[in-house]
Amino acid sequence: MEDKTRRSVLSADDDDGESGNGSDSGTGIASKVLTKTKRPSMYRVLILNDDYTPMEFVVHILERFFNKGREEATQIMLHVHHHGVGECGVYTYEVAETKVTQVMDFARRHQHPLQCVMEKK
């Protein structure tokens, strides 16, 4: 009984287990693969407080690399100053990594010890 069920989905050439010329007849079972997309992991970009980087430089970083307005950049800078760390934004891994690299390179070029890191949200 099992063989009859199995054979009912095979092509006519495959019923006896052999095809006349050894080639695939092109018939068979069609299956649909369902794929479920997953949202990418998000990462927080953080600036860490230090005793040497000027506050105005931090505001400039936030405006330039994170597209913050003057007021919002100042609020984030003050949060960093008072709490030791502040969130600049939340991005996908590649974007967050790029922003951290840009900030760190820019700070080094201007001889500031500013630290910028990323952490998974």
Side-chain angles (χ1 to χ4, degrees), residues 77-88:
M77 177 273 299
L78 288 172
H79 188 273
V80 171
H81 181 68
H82 293 296
H83 298 96
V85 64
E87 182 178 282
C88 304

Side-chain angles (χ1 to χ4, degrees), residues 86-99:
E87 182 178 282
C88 304
V90 179
Y91 308 95
T92 59
Y93 180 83
E94 291 81 10
V95 174
E97 184 178 46
T98 299
K99 291 198 179 282

Side-chain angles (χ1 to χ4, degrees), residues 37-45 89-97 118-121:
T37 56
K38 185 174 104 174
R39 289 184 163 265
S41 297
M42 301 301 281
Y43 292 80
R44 298 170 64 204
V45 176
V90 179
Y91 308 95
T92 59
Y93 180 83
E94 291 81 10
V95 174
E97 184 178 46
M118 59 189 259
E119 71 176 22
K120 193 168 185 176
K121 185 164 177 154

Side-chain angles (χ1 to χ4, degrees), residues 48-62:
L48 307 178
N49 191 36
D50 65 72
D51 293 332
Y52 304 102
T53 304
M55 293 179 179
E56 192 58 38
F57 185 77
V58 175
V59 171
H60 179 69
I61 291 281
L62 292 163

Side-chain angles (χ1 to χ4, degrees), residues 95-115:
V95 174
E97 184 178 46
T98 299
K99 291 198 179 282
V100 167
T101 301
Q102 289 174 329
V103 168
M104 295 294 289
D105 290 347
F106 190 74
R108 296 297 160 267
R109 279 197 309 270
H110 290 86
Q111 300 178 348
H112 295 299
L114 183 67
Q115 292 293 305

